[in-house]
Amino acid sequence: YLLADAAGGLEPTAALMNDTAAALGAHDTVAVDPSGLDEQGQRSSAYDLALIGRAAMIRNKRATGRPKDLLDLELLGEE
């Protein structure tokens, strides 16, 4: 919860997570607890998790210039 505290607390962090999910089109995702552990009312769909994962990989590629930091594309023969 240290990062949530640095971001203003648990509720503001969960609100930011929900805003980000909505911006990504992950409309079946509701964050209640920033830890990601099971919590009453917290949910997500497989499709939403794929959208969020894709966004994370794109963000990582932009930050590092290397897409294989999260997924080793050389091993898959895609590089």
Side-chain angles (χ1 to χ4, degrees):
Y1 294 105
L2 182 61
L3 293 175
D5 288 342
L10 297 178
E11 289 182 21
T13 302
L16 178 61
M17 292 168 68
N18 289 321
D19 291 346
T20 302
L24 293 173
H27 301 295
D28 293 324
T29 294
V30 177
V32 176
D33 183 340
S35 72
L37 299 174
D38 287 342
E39 189 72 37
Q40 185 70 27
Q42 186 157 285
R43 60 182 163 77
S44 191
S45 66
Y47 179 78
D48 285 4
L49 293 174
L51 289 175
I52 294 165
R54 179 177 180 264
M57 286 189 272
I58 290 170
R59 180 178 179 178
N60 185 63
K61 181 178 178 183
R62 287 181 186 154
T64 64
R66 296 176 31 201
K68 64 182 179 180
D69 285 6
L70 289 178
L71 177 64
D72 193 348
L73 298 177
E74 287 180 25
L75 293 176
L76 298 175
E78 296 183 19
E79 186 170 48

